[in-house]
Amino acid sequence: MNFLSLKVRGIRSKGKAGWVKGLKSSHGVDFLAVQESKIMDPSVWLLPKCWGNSTFLFDCVNSDGIAGGLICWWDPSCFRQTGVIKSHHVLVISGDMVHSGFHVNIANVHAPNDAAGRRNFWNELLFYRRSLFGLRIFLGDFNLVRSIDERVNSDFLAQNALSFNSFIADADLFEYNMCGHKYTYMSSNGEKLSKLDRSLVCNDFMSNWPSAELTTLSRHLSDHCPLLLSIKNSDYGHIPFRFYDSWLQLPGFVDFVNSIANNFVFDGPADIALAADGQFVGQPLSGINDIKITHLIG
């Protein structure tokens, strides 16, 4: 599955629905989480404008006037919902990942702006972490940085960072290395930069997909970068075979290779033969001039 998170700052604003739809389509997104939608009761016409014509399901937390608002879309062929939890600052969608069978809880997060509100919010998230079974993903705008190097031209409050890091440790959450942009938020004048948006996962999630990729995409119609978490496995074919020059000095090595090549049998195009599991005939591999298989494969 591919997960996309974006603080959109008003989904009805000119061009934003089309932008979100373009991100979803171009990156093969299966689960889409939007923060600060600034709408109540998303209309039937708006939701497909953000997702496209393919089948989707959704759930949402309505905005408080023109503030806040959370929406999640997902592809039911990839994710089968079993439950939902809603509060003002988080929308938790629970369900099963169809292709892997794992049960996962996906929290669409928009943390409060004030420090006291965030501390209460961390406790709320810890409660969900302890009460829900299965894998966990927390993605969205956390409104805090973890260290001083995650801010440029804005105040760093060590106490706030300590509170945030304590929550992450208590919740047993981890971060993938982020590719793309270092900062996810930029002020309107371009002077202030911060890493406010994140995708945090539990240890079991990271153990199952250690090579997952987290990428910050270019901000376009928002002051926040979209975050793409991709856990789709890519198959690049056979692992390349390494050949060492020193092997050529092994007694009998060249004769051994020649004997294998001369007795290789394959019925098909020559280029396909290079990747095929050939049928070897002739002398057993372990009996040619005392060459051991380990000498060949390192």
Side-chain angles (χ1 to χ4, degrees):
M1 290 181 65
N2 282 346
F3 303 84
L4 182 70
S5 170
L6 170 60
K7 185 171 182 177
V8 74
R9 288 199 182 278
I11 196 68
R12 290 186 186 273
S13 300
K14 184 178 180 180
K16 288 190 177 179
W19 176 43
V20 173
K21 178 183 174 182
L23 291 171
K24 181 265 175 186
S25 299
S26 60
H27 296 284
V29 173
D30 306 298
F31 192 101
L32 170 62
V34 163
Q35 303 91 45
E36 204 169 22
S37 66
K38 295 187 178 182
I39 58 174
M40 299 183 65
D41 298 323
S43 58
V44 174
W45 70 266
L46 177 63
L47 294 170
K49 284 183 175 291
C50 299
W51 182 267
N53 295 325
S54 60
T55 303
F56 68 88
L57 295 175
F58 82 99
D59 214 324
C60 65
V61 172
N62 291 333
S63 64
D64 183 9
I66 60 171
L70 301 164
I71 310 176
C72 290
W73 295 256
W74 60 89
D75 180 349
S77 69
C78 297
F79 179 78
R80 187 178 299 114
Q81 181 194 16
T82 59
V84 61
I85 298 174
K86 301 181 182 183
S87 75
H88 185 63
H89 293 286
V90 63
L91 171 60
V92 183
I93 307 294
S94 300
D96 300 317
M97 301 169 69
V98 173
H99 299 298
S100 66
F102 285 105
H103 186 78
V104 62
N105 306 283
I106 308 166
N108 183 3
V109 171
H110 185 196
N113 290 318
D114 62 291
R118 283 193 297 266
R119 285 193 293 270
N120 291 332
F121 183 56
W122 304 147
N123 290 330
E124 179 184 351
L125 294 183
L126 283 173
F127 173 78
Y128 298 146
R129 175 255 181 269
R130 291 162 181 161
S131 60
L132 297 171
F133 77 95
L135 307 181
R136 295 173 298 281
I137 307 174
F138 293 75
L139 44 79
D141 177 14
F142 290 84
N143 257 318
L144 265 183
V145 299
R146 301 187 64 180
S147 58
I148 191 170
D149 64 307
E150 293 184 349
R151 278 196 186 280
V152 174
N153 295 328
S154 57
D155 294 334
F156 172 75
L157 299 179
Q159 190 62 36
N160 289 342
L162 177 62
S163 174
F164 187 30
N165 285 318
S166 295
F167 154 71
I168 291 173
D170 291 343
D172 195 29
L173 297 175
F174 300 87
E175 287 191 85
Y176 291 101
N177 291 328
M178 195 168 68
C179 304
H181 305 280
K182 179 178 180 180
Y183 305 102
T184 67
Y185 163 78
M186 182 173 66
S187 62
S188 57
N189 60 12
E191 294 181 357
K192 295 182 178 181
L193 303 170
S194 298
K195 183 180 177 181
L196 302 180
D197 306 85
R198 312 185 108 89
S199 290
L200 304 172
V201 302
C202 66
N203 184 52
D204 287 342
F205 187 100
M206 184 166 282
S207 296
N208 280 288
W209 293 283
S211 60
E213 296 181 352
L214 178 63
T215 307
T216 56
L217 307 177
S218 296
R219 65 179 68 82
H220 175 47
L221 298 177
S222 174
D223 51 5
H224 287 249
C225 291
L227 285 187
L228 178 68
L229 176 62
S230 177
I231 63 170
K232 290 184 177 179
N233 295 321
S234 298
D235 184 1
Y236 297 102
H238 295 294
I239 298 174
F241 176 73
R242 294 180 296 176
F243 186 94
Y244 298 97
D245 291 345
S246 59
W247 292 353
L248 296 171
Q249 308 303 317
L250 293 173
F253 179 82
V254 174
D255 292 336
F256 175 78
V257 173
N258 286 334
S259 69
I260 294 298
N262 291 333
N263 291 289
F264 177 73
V265 177
F266 181 80
D267 184 16
D271 58 334
I272 301 298
L274 294 174
D277 293 326
Q279 176 184 355
F280 298 99
V281 297
Q283 302 180 46
L285 296 180
S286 60
I288 301 179
N289 295 331
D290 295 325
I291 297 290
K292 302 298 183 181
I293 296 300
T294 53
H295 288 160
L296 299 180
I297 63 175

